[in-house]
Amino acid sequence: MKSILGLSPEVAWSLLGIAGVLTFFSILFFIWKIFKPHAPLKELIDRTKSWWVIYVLFVGTIFLSKTVAIIAIAFLSFVALREMLSRLDFRFSDRRAMFWAYLVIPIQFYCVYISYYRLFIVLIPVVMFMILPFRNVLTGEVKGITQSTAKLQWALMLTVFSLSHIAYLLAIKPPQGFTAGNEAYILYLLFLTQFNDVLQFIWGKLLGKHKIIPKISPNKTWEGFLGGLICTTLLAYFLRYLTPFTVTQSLIAGSLISFSGFAGDLNISAIKRDLGIKDMGTSIPGHGGIMDRLDSLSYTALVFFHLTHLWTVP
Amino acid sequence: MMLVKNVVRSLLFSVFMRNFLRWVIGIRIGDNSSLKTCPQFIVTGNHNSHLDTMAILSSLPARRLKHVYPVAAADYFGRTKLMSLLSRFFINVILIKRSKDGSGPNPIEVMDKALKEGKSIVIFPEGSRGQPEDMQPFKKGIGILLVNHPQIPFIPIYMEGLGKALPRGEGLLVPFEGRVEIGEPTHIQSDWTVDQVVQFVESKVLELKNRSKEV
């Protein structure tokens, strides 16, 4: 098969398809705005614009070169970690440990760069798990140390550890005969995760009646969840040419992405409820902060990575 | 020499520092249009960190940099000859002495003179940096200056988060999201007393605290 602009045909056509979907919605909202100038569309239009920016940045980095992609994802996880650490109410004395948490980012992504899986997979859950509490202990400030240490480790897991798995998808050795390229894994994961978010939202709006956990998220309904689950699983089946998965594997991947995306989303929602804030940040117009957009991805990235690793790496 | 200085400072603040604060530390600088148009002003900001001066200078449009002089304490910025030379060159600093015994030039007179020369100045009316992110009551100096120069407007600036990124007495810079909110140039009424002016300025700075949260 011939490559198009250095992309495999599978990836190129999928990207074109996504651009088509975005174009469709941009035009739809544009026309809607003309006929109903007072419709509350600002958030939707802002969101669509942000999606275009994300799309262009995504295509411009992930497919430029592996190095650029890794640096871009490293920077994204830095901003995500910074956002979490800025929201979670740390003590003054936690600054030193926070600094160490930031320092781990380049090391973690260097492991991705040189495909050093052994260190990559233990650096944060094992090494930092011991270093961060120790650094905090050294300050001698014990009041609130339990919460601080737990929050710091958790923030690091949700942002850097999780997002670095997206980068590691580029470093996995693809099985023989799989021609779509490792970028296709990322495309598959991101597209399914984000589509699942949107589909759960749309099905919830259309049919939603029975709320799942109204205390945390009043918009999450059983109808939305199941609608998203079915659609995402179907989509995972149809897009499976982006992966080396068998039919069964693609169905499992799709449904688990839907499940874990739902859980990751609720996880961040619960934090926001606890802190009494609407958004984690203000980085992305219409979406809020980085973690408002990457909430589901912080879970799906781990699930998808380990499924892929399990099924394709001998 | 002046040209070299201006170019170096524009690169330092408007290019390097602004992007460093934005992308590494996570400081968002709000709309700076009031700093673009106003010919002479006194910037009054709350004070949490050494980053405050950097953040305000980075907020300025590059071509205004040469007109703006931050006022700072000689006991820190003028600790050594080299330090005072560097801060004069890069920050354009006006050094004042915080002495209780009244020796040396009176800080108010130094600032008065700068304003008469047409300079714009940056002052932190809380005096020293307080506890991180905890605004202290404003001192009288700003009131006296504005009463002496009622034709010059003040521009309130509220900064948040910088005291977490680099608190007082800390040398380690840790990224922490924050923001710089820039208010409108505001004139005082010519019949106000010094205390009234101080209170007014303080309330204008505090007003900015809630600005972007409402949007």
Side-chain angles (χ1 to χ4, degrees):
Chain A
M1 281 202 255
K2 267 200 298 186
S3 70
I4 304 163
L5 295 169
L7 306 174
S8 64
E10 291 92 335
V11 169
W13 284 112
S14 309
L15 287 175
L16 212 60
I18 298 170
V21 172
L22 282 175
T23 311
F24 170 76
F25 279 106
S26 302
I27 294 173
L28 176 72
F29 293 141
F30 183 73
I31 294 174
W32 197 343
K33 190 90 192 159
I34 292 174
F35 285 103
K36 291 220 165 136
H38 298 295
L41 289 173
K42 188 174 180 320
E43 199 190 340
L44 285 172
I45 290 172
D46 275 354
R47 276 193 179 218
T48 317
K49 275 185 195 155
S50 292
W51 274 122
W52 273 112
V53 174
I54 295 169
Y55 177 76
V56 170
L57 284 177
F58 173 73
V59 175
T61 50
I62 302 295
F63 299 102
L64 205 57
S65 79
K66 189 182 148 194
T67 315
V68 173
I70 291 174
I71 293 173
I73 299 171
F75 182 71
L76 188 68
S77 49
F78 166 68
V79 177
L81 177 64
R82 187 177 70 196
E83 186 176 283
M84 288 286 278
L85 296 191
S86 301
R87 293 293 98 72
L88 286 180
D89 250 340
F90 282 92
R91 303 169 306 161
F92 177 74
S93 58
D94 298 323
R95 299 178 80 253
R96 302 280 152 168
M98 280 159 75
F99 189 73
W100 281 89
Y102 285 117
L103 278 189
V104 80
I105 299 175
I107 309 173
Q108 176 77 354
F109 282 89
Y110 187 67
C111 291
V112 176
Y113 184 69
I114 60 170
S115 309
Y116 188 13
Y117 186 72
R118 293 287 285 283
L119 184 58
F120 165 81
I121 205 66
V122 295
L123 183 62
I124 292 171
V126 179
V127 182
M128 293 314 276
F129 167 73
M130 292 186 280
I131 289 182
L132 292 179
F134 184 62
R135 186 63 195 85
N136 250 351
V137 166
L138 286 182
T139 63
E141 294 289 333
V142 286
K143 186 89 188 120
I145 198 168
T146 321
Q147 288 88 333
S148 282
T149 310
K151 280 190 284 195
L152 191 54
Q153 180 70 25
W154 189 37
L156 205 53
M157 292 291 289
L158 271 180
T159 56
V160 182
F161 185 68
S162 177
L163 297 182
S164 65
H165 283 71
I166 303 172
Y168 209 95
L169 285 171
L170 294 172
I172 287 185
K173 199 166 170 290
Q176 284 213 326
F178 174 58
T179 53
N182 284 33
E183 300 87 0
Y185 290 143
I186 298 191
L187 191 60
Y188 188 77
L189 164 68
L190 293 190
F191 193 55
L192 288 183
T193 304
Q194 300 305 340
F195 218 73
N196 182 54
D197 281 0
V198 175
L199 285 170
Q200 287 191 358
F201 177 78
I202 292 176
W203 283 115
K205 281 275 171 217
L206 289 178
L207 307 172
K209 282 211 176 65
H210 304 88
K211 291 180 177 162
I212 303 179
I213 314 171
K215 267 189 191 168
I216 288 175
S217 181
N219 297 323
K220 294 273 181 289
T221 57
W222 282 107
E223 293 81 357
F225 171 67
L226 291 174
L229 180 66
I230 293 165
C231 291
T232 305
T233 309
L234 282 176
L235 197 66
Y237 168 78
F238 287 119
L239 291 177
R240 72 182 187 287
Y241 60 84
L242 289 170
T243 67
F245 297 167
T246 63
V247 170
T248 322
Q249 285 171 339
S250 72
L251 293 176
I252 295 174
S255 51
L256 282 182
I257 283 177
S258 183
F259 264 117
S260 54
F262 174 77
D265 185 335
L266 280 179
N267 183 40
I268 298 291
S269 297
I271 298 176
K272 289 189 281 193
R273 285 285 142 141
D274 181 23
L275 296 172
I277 53 178
K278 191 178 159 284
D279 293 319
M280 290 298 284
T282 50
S283 315
I284 324 174
H287 294 260
I290 299 279
M291 287 311 283
D292 292 303
R293 190 69 275 124
L294 300 189
D295 46 6
S296 34
L297 194 61
S298 67
Y299 274 31
T300 57
L302 292 169
V303 170
F304 179 74
F305 174 86
H306 286 290
L307 286 179
T308 311
H309 200 258
L310 181 72
W311 289 334
T312 67
V313 179
Chain B
M1 187 59 194
M2 267 320 272
L3 183 72
V4 174
K5 180 175 171 172
N6 289 337
V7 171
V8 169
R9 294 181 77 240
S10 312
L11 283 176
L12 177 68
F13 289 107
S14 307
V15 180
F16 174 76
M17 193 60 83
R18 190 180 291 174
N19 285 301
F20 176 77
L21 290 174
R22 174 75 188 82
W23 298 107
V24 180
I25 308 298
I27 307 290
R28 293 191 149 255
I29 293 176
D31 176 19
N32 72 350
S33 49
S34 62
L35 292 165
K36 273 185 189 136
T37 46
C38 190
Q40 194 189 4
F41 49 79
I42 302 176
V43 169
T44 60
N46 60 330
H47 204 15
N48 292 308
S49 165
H50 282 309
L51 285 178
D52 294 345
T53 313
M54 304 299 152
I56 290 177
L57 291 180
S58 311
S59 315
L60 291 169
R63 62 195 162 77
R64 299 308 301 275
L65 263 174
K66 56 177 179 283
H67 305 295
V68 181
Y69 292 73
V71 177
D75 53 279
Y76 182 83
F77 282 94
R79 261 183 320 196
T80 60
K81 270 259 157 56
L82 180 69
M83 182 94 172
S84 107
L85 200 74
L86 288 178
S87 39
R88 265 180 233 271
F89 181 83
F90 288 111
I91 311 182
N92 243 0
V93 79
I94 298 174
L95 294 176
I96 53 166
K97 284 223 166 57
R98 289 187 284 203
S99 60
K100 288 259 157 63
D101 55 5
S103 65
N106 180 341
I108 298 289
E109 278 168 23
V110 175
M111 291 186 260
D112 260 334
K113 185 164 158 277
L115 290 173
K116 278 192 192 115
E117 288 166 4
K119 293 172 178 168
S120 292
I121 62 174
V122 176
I123 59 175
F124 300 107
E126 287 168 87
S128 66
R129 292 161 291 149
Q131 287 300 311
E133 306 299 312
D134 186 14
M135 198 162 120
Q136 309 289 311
F138 281 11
K139 292 191 172 154
K140 279 218 167 106
I142 176 64
I144 303 172
L145 282 178
L146 283 170
V147 167
N148 290 352
H149 305 269
Q151 79 287 1
I152 302 177
F154 71 93
I155 298 181
I157 289 192
Y158 182 79
M159 288 168 288
E160 192 176 79
L162 288 82
K164 294 265 174 90
L166 184 69
R168 152 187 228 173
E170 280 277 321
L172 182 72
L173 191 59
V174 178
F176 194 93
E177 286 187 354
R179 61 196 171 109
V180 177
E181 296 287 346
I182 303 160
E184 293 300 314
T186 313
H187 288 273
I188 60 155
Q189 307 283 340
S190 52
D191 57 345
W192 283 355
T193 65
V194 169
D195 286 333
Q196 276 175 314
V197 174
V198 173
Q199 268 185 13
F200 182 65
V201 174
E202 197 175 325
S203 70
K204 281 287 172 189
V205 173
L206 274 177
E207 245 174 48
L208 294 171
K209 184 179 181 173
N210 304 316
R211 185 158 81 174
S212 75
K213 283 179 184 162
E214 284 163 5
V215 179

